[in-house]
Amino acid sequence: MIAALIVVCWLLVCGSAWAAAPPPIEVYYHAEFFSEPWRHAKGASDLFARTAWVLGADLLLLGLAVRRSRRR
Amino acid sequence: MGESLAVARLTLLELSRRQLAWVTVFFAVVLAVIPQLIGAFGMTGFERVSKDACLTLLGWFAIGIALLLAATAVPGDVERRTVYPLLARPMSRDQYLVGKFLGLAAWIAGSVMLCGAAIALGCGAISHALEARLLVGAALEALKACVLAAVTLLFATRTGPVAAGIAALAVYIIAGLSDAYVGFFLEGEGVLSLAAWLVRAVKTVLPDFEVFHLKNALVHDEPLRFGYLAALAAYGLAWISGCLLAAGLVFGRHDL
């Protein structure tokens, strides 16, 4: 089930990258005092990179879980 | 899968018996009334203020409910010894954890969406328009709360409810530390501080909860791109699956 969830995540990442170009960072910009991290956080390319490494870690954990279940 | 769904159903039943729904209903009523109170000043632009205040409160509610429910879920079962007859059945610990999380996530998502609908209703009554976009904001708050619940569940498989709650809250606070704060407090002018570098490194490997906050975009009526929302969903689901896998590995080795 979790493996299926990981596959869905990959599909969502690829699908969203295909469906829409990353929104320009200026779209989410507001001249607020602490807007800098918020503006950066909304950068979609940053989000893709973050999702990609989390999914990589997921695959590693999935491998460990499969290895553990085979040992049993 | 069937076993996990059975545990999820049991979790939902247990939560409904704790009468937590009344807390949600009370909070939803408060959130529906706040726009009316702010709108009573009769000044233009106060719709944005009421949306901002309500979405901020919704975010806090989502964090609170996620921490409270997820921190007590597994330790509560172990303490009441209800986990033993469950695990004596042909069901793995992973299935138990997934079922537990599904039940929690359904409850959290239902509660947050109910409050989101109350906000949309309250704000819609002032602006005389359908505020459906606020439901998107509520859905993202629900997803953020589910990620936090998964993180809390990971801690709760090894520690008690208080320690799990505090650890998850610490993760939430550290992950949400603004770069401006880190730069201001930990870095001198032109000097690269080791502490600042360390905080930024830790932040990189923790889930970034800030990306789920589309409050400013919603309040200022900026367009929401479907691609970005899908990427957010993927990011949230990736963290949830990672936390559940890690929780399964930890719980599998834990001597009950």
Side-chain angles (χ1 to χ4, degrees):
Chain A
M1 191 180 151
I2 291 179
L5 200 62
I6 292 172
V7 172
V8 167
C9 289
W10 275 117
L11 288 176
L12 271 172
V13 167
C14 298
S16 59
W18 172 78
I25 286 173
E26 288 76 19
V27 166
Y28 294 101
Y29 177 72
H30 280 293
E32 290 177 0
F33 184 59
F34 284 130
S35 61
E36 194 71 8
W38 186 76
R39 183 178 51 159
H40 284 305
K42 296 297 175 285
S45 54
D46 178 44
L47 190 57
F48 286 134
R50 281 171 176 270
T51 311
W53 91 252
V54 178
L55 286 172
D58 284 1
L59 289 176
L60 186 71
L61 286 167
L62 191 65
L64 286 174
V66 169
R67 204 177 114 194
R68 190 195 64 186
S69 65
R70 276 189 186 169
R71 270 189 195 169
R72 287 181 181 175
Chain B
M1 186 69 192
E3 290 85 355
S4 296
L5 288 179
V7 174
R9 207 174 57 240
L10 278 174
T11 307
L12 280 174
L13 192 67
E14 182 194 336
L15 290 173
S16 64
R17 281 181 183 158
R18 282 162 71 178
Q19 301 193 334
L20 284 165
W22 292 112
V23 178
T24 306
V25 169
F26 172 75
F27 200 76
V29 170
V30 170
L31 286 175
V33 169
I34 283 176
Q36 312 296 325
L37 289 175
I38 295 177
F41 290 103
M43 290 171 73
T44 39
F46 267 37
E47 299 90 9
R48 288 185 176 181
V49 176
S50 56
K51 274 185 202 173
D52 199 326
C54 288
L55 287 173
T56 305
L57 285 175
L58 181 67
W60 291 348
F61 172 73
I63 295 163
I65 198 169
L67 285 176
L68 179 76
L69 297 185
T72 53
V74 175
D77 276 1
V78 174
E79 200 174 307
R80 288 190 303 271
R81 298 179 186 281
T82 47
V83 72
Y84 301 113
L86 276 175
L87 293 178
R89 290 173 175 269
M91 176 173 62
S92 69
R93 291 186 181 192
D94 294 335
Q95 286 173 321
Y96 163 76
L97 279 178
V98 169
K100 208 74 193 165
F101 175 78
L102 286 178
L104 288 173
W107 187 273
I108 290 168
S111 303
V112 174
M113 288 311 289
L114 179 72
C115 292
I119 294 173
L121 201 70
C123 292
I126 291 181
S127 61
H128 304 293
L130 188 66
E131 299 280 1
R133 274 162 53 95
L134 291 177
L135 291 178
V136 178
L140 288 176
E141 287 294 340
L143 183 60
K144 180 195 78 178
C146 288
V147 174
L148 187 60
V151 172
T152 315
L153 204 64
L154 167 60
F155 289 122
T157 49
R158 194 73 199 179
T159 62
V162 178
I166 290 172
L169 186 62
V171 166
Y172 182 79
I173 291 171
I174 293 168
L177 266 182
S178 134
D179 263 356
Y181 283 123
V182 177
F184 184 78
F185 289 112
L186 300 178
E187 269 178 348
E189 221 169 281
V191 182
L192 184 65
S193 148
L194 181 67
W197 179 85
L198 197 66
V199 169
R200 289 202 176 102
V202 170
K203 270 184 67 172
T204 310
V205 294
L206 292 179
D208 188 353
F209 293 102
E210 281 299 307
V211 294
F212 297 106
H213 295 155
L214 288 187
K215 189 181 73 179
N216 287 355
L218 289 168
V219 168
H220 295 280
D221 294 327
E222 285 172 354
L224 295 176
R225 307 287 177 96
F226 172 76
Y228 189 72
L229 296 179
L232 273 180
Y235 183 65
L237 291 175
W239 265 107
I240 288 171
S241 47
C243 287
L244 288 181
L245 281 166
L249 287 171
V250 173
F251 198 49
R253 289 178 189 165
H254 188 37
D255 189 13
L256 292 173

